[in-house]
Amino acid sequence: PDDPYDPTEALLSSLDTENFSSNRTTFNVENPDSNVLEEKDNQTLRETSEKGIQTADLDCKNSIPSSFFQYFSKPLKTPIPRIAPKEWVFCCIDLIYSEKMLADDECIQLKQPCKPMCEFIYDTFLSLFGLRKAAESYLIDFLASISAMIDQSLKIKMFAQFCGMTGDNDFAIEELRVFLYALYVSQNELSTITEDHTYRTVSYNDAVTIITKVFLGCNEFDQILPRILMSLKNTESINLDELFEIIILEAQTKTNSIEQQILDTHLTHDENNILLLYDEFIGIVKKNNCLNQPLTERGYLRIYSELITKNTQYSTSKQQILSVFHKYQLLNWKTFPSFHYSYLKRDNIFFDFLLCSWELKEKAINEMTKDLQGGLLAPKIYQQLQDYSANFQKHLIRRDDIKATISSYRLFMEQLYCTKMKHHRLVHLSL
């Protein structure tokens, strides 16, 4: 309560390179609830590991989940992660899910594999905040908050599992597709859902509808439906997140079964040295999956080429085969229909996210802008900043044009970031 979350402060702290070098801090992911921040001095930062990797980059790896690390710009200079309010985290999660539904539908129509969750989230933050440093700073805050709250909410825990942040308990992209479809059904085809950001419930009949929509057509549907219903703790008012988790675990069992069939039935060679023939590869794909869109000959060839060229000897391993099959979504056990997600619903989710973000940052941004006035920059620069802010707030109040609102928000945040950067540079030169 005495230290409210201010993502802008965390973002702009990365601009002060002198202060950044002398007070290096990292977020303790192993014990996120304590939010332990360890000070690193200049001498430690200059140290390198035996492999020549700078210690600063190693520290950044500790503050960024390994599943996201490959997408961040190098060298890494991350600000101190700040834990955001749970309301903002929930708004971010809802926004990411709605955008993922729309993006996945586009990929399926174009006969392309859907983006992995981590890459998609990174791209979403880039589109929101424009500048890469700004986007990465906000993303680090978001991921640190997810790590800190992972045991406080089942909704946050499942999101972390889709992002590869929980180790052995992570969910694959096939389970994400099942979850998104179940979420779509609950949002668009049910009328009795009661929900806020923290607790969502459905009736027993609606739970049966969701389960049926997801698993109808499967060979074991008659066994799956009663098995899931028996797992529910309360049959009168069913927690939607608990229902989603049970559905995902059931779907994960089916995906694992397909994996095992491929390994046991088709690949009887040495586990780490498999010479997979092209016709054999096509036979495995056609027999063991439900493709959202039929693959062309060129599509088969592209996937096969990637598979066999991972090793110099043109052989592969069972683990590599499963990895490529997951990447191109070749382990689907059901072809789900298109979401046909409502753009009106998506726009409302986006407006809620922007409103929540602005309410958290408005006071801090106004104070910071006021402090900048009378500084080293020309007065017209500060006036432009005020104009960008007013334009965004006008769109936010009207809630009439989501594209214009997003654009004005991104433009304002970019200008705020650049103004602060120019101010810091001039202060540094004047010393």
Side-chain angles (χ1 to χ4, degrees):
D2 297 332
D3 185 23
Y5 173 69
D6 178 11
T8 306
E9 176 186 340
L11 167 66
L12 298 175
S13 66
S14 64
L15 297 172
D16 191 346
T17 55
E18 183 177 352
N19 179 68
F20 175 83
S21 299
S22 60
N23 295 287
R24 180 67 183 178
T25 60
T26 59
F27 181 72
N28 189 336
V29 177
E30 294 182 358
N31 188 14
D33 290 331
S34 63
N35 198 7
V36 178
L37 298 174
E38 301 175 353
E39 297 292 337
K40 303 291 183 181
D41 56 20
N42 286 329
Q43 181 178 0
T44 304
L45 285 177
R46 287 192 294 267
E47 294 175 358
T48 56
S49 67
E50 295 180 358
K51 296 183 179 180
I53 304 175
Q54 290 188 356
T55 307
D57 282 353
L58 294 178
D59 291 338
C60 290
K61 271 193 172 183
N62 293 330
S63 66
I64 301 172
S66 58
S67 54
F68 284 89
F69 187 78
Q70 60 180 312
Y71 304 112
F72 279 76
S73 57
K74 313 297 187 300
L76 289 167
K77 290 185 177 180
T78 58
I80 302 172
R82 301 292 298 273
I83 305 303
K86 189 177 291 186
E87 180 185 2
W88 185 79
V89 174
F90 283 142
C91 284
C92 277
I93 292 175
D94 290 340
L95 174 64
I96 290 169
Y97 283 151
S98 67
E99 294 298 292
K100 190 75 168 87
M101 289 183 193
L102 295 172
D104 283 3
D105 263 0
E106 291 180 4
C107 289
I108 292 172
Q109 290 173 6
L110 296 173
K111 300 182 180 181
Q112 297 174 351
C114 303
K115 275 189 179 181
M117 188 63 160
C118 298
E119 181 181 358
F120 177 80
I121 293 172
Y122 184 88
D123 291 346
T124 300
F125 272 74
L126 279 180
S127 68
L128 279 172
F129 301 104
L131 296 173
R132 188 166 185 174
K133 282 187 177 180
E136 290 183 350
S137 179
Y138 282 106
L139 180 54
I140 288 173
D141 286 348
F142 176 62
L143 297 177
S145 303
I146 292 292
S147 296
M149 302 175 188
I150 197 169
D151 295 325
Q152 300 177 19
S153 166
L154 184 56
K155 180 177 180 178
I156 293 177
K157 177 186 175 183
M158 287 191 295
F159 181 85
Q161 289 174 299
F162 290 130
C163 296
M165 297 173 62
T166 60
D168 295 336
N169 296 321
D170 291 335
F171 294 134
I173 195 168
E174 289 80 14
E175 284 81 62
L176 175 60
R177 179 69 180 178
V178 173
F179 167 77
L180 290 177
Y181 183 68
L183 180 63
Y184 165 78
V185 172
S186 70
Q187 291 180 344
N188 293 271
E189 300 187 20
L190 303 183
S191 58
T192 58
I193 183 172
T194 59
E195 86 174 277
D196 55 30
H197 285 304
T198 58
Y199 191 77
R200 304 175 293 178
T201 61
V202 292
S203 66
Y204 180 86
N205 290 336
D206 284 339
V208 173
T209 299
I210 295 173
I211 299 169
T212 303
K213 290 275 188 178
V214 172
F215 292 101
L216 187 63
C218 299
N219 295 332
E220 302 176 353
F221 173 73
D222 293 339
Q223 291 79 36
I224 292 175
L225 179 60
R227 185 161 62 233
I228 294 178
L229 294 177
M230 289 178 61
S231 303
L232 298 174
K233 298 178 181 179
N234 186 352
T235 57
E236 295 181 0
S237 179
I238 298 172
N239 185 312
L240 193 57
D241 290 320
E242 292 180 1
L243 176 62
F244 285 155
E245 184 182 41
I246 296 172
I247 289 174
I248 295 168
L249 292 174
E250 188 71 43
Q252 187 179 48
T253 300
K254 294 186 70 63
T255 303
N256 292 341
S257 175
I258 295 176
E259 287 184 357
Q260 200 59 47
Q261 288 177 16
I262 292 175
L263 298 181
D264 293 342
T265 307
H266 301 282
L267 305 176
T268 58
H269 315 282
D270 178 33
E271 182 172 340
N272 296 314
N273 187 24
I274 300 173
L275 188 61
L276 186 64
L277 301 178
Y278 181 59
D279 289 336
E280 185 180 9
F281 163 74
I282 294 179
I284 293 174
V285 173
K286 289 184 175 180
K287 185 174 181 179
N288 291 277
N289 81 94
C290 298
L291 295 171
N292 291 311
Q293 293 287 347
L295 280 175
T296 62
E297 186 68 24
R298 183 169 296 180
Y300 281 114
L301 185 59
R302 181 179 67 253
I303 300 173
Y304 178 73
S305 298
E306 178 178 339
L307 187 60
I308 64 173
T309 54
K310 284 182 175 292
N311 293 330
T312 57
Q313 301 299 322
Y314 292 95
S315 62
T316 186
S317 67
K318 292 184 177 181
Q319 191 59 42
Q320 288 173 342
I321 290 174
L322 294 180
S323 176
V324 171
F325 273 45
H326 279 297
K327 177 181 177 180
Y328 288 95
Q329 289 101 65
L330 301 178
L331 296 175
N332 297 317
W333 44 268
K334 179 178 178 179
T335 302
F336 291 100
S338 177
F339 291 123
H340 297 297
Y341 195 70
S342 168
Y343 276 91
L344 177 61
K345 183 177 289 294
R346 177 258 191 181
D347 291 352
N348 288 332
I349 291 175
F350 227 124
F351 276 121
D352 290 343
F353 166 78
L354 293 175
L355 180 61
C356 183
S357 298
W358 181 251
E359 289 176 346
L360 288 172
K361 292 175 284 189
E362 182 178 12
K363 182 179 179 182
I365 288 175
N366 289 339
E367 290 179 354
M368 182 175 59
T369 305
K370 184 178 180 180
D371 292 340
L372 288 174
Q373 293 177 355
L376 300 176
L377 295 176
K380 66 177 183 179
I381 295 180
Y382 302 113
Q383 184 58 48
Q384 289 175 352
L385 197 60
Q386 294 287 356
D387 293 341
Y388 287 129
S389 174
N391 186 43
F392 164 67
Q393 293 181 66
K394 178 188 69 175
H395 286 294
L396 187 61
I397 294 173
R398 291 179 177 177
R399 293 177 72 102
D400 56 352
D401 188 341
I402 187 60
K403 291 184 178 180
T405 307
I406 296 171
S407 177
S408 62
Y409 177 76
R410 181 169 56 243
L411 184 59
F412 169 67
M413 296 305 296
E414 289 173 349
Q415 292 301 317
L416 178 66
Y417 186 89
C418 292
T419 301
K420 187 68 175 180
M421 183 171 62
K422 292 176 183 177
H423 178 77
H424 274 256
R425 185 180 299 135
L426 290 175
V427 169
H428 180 72
L429 293 174
S430 65
L431 296 178

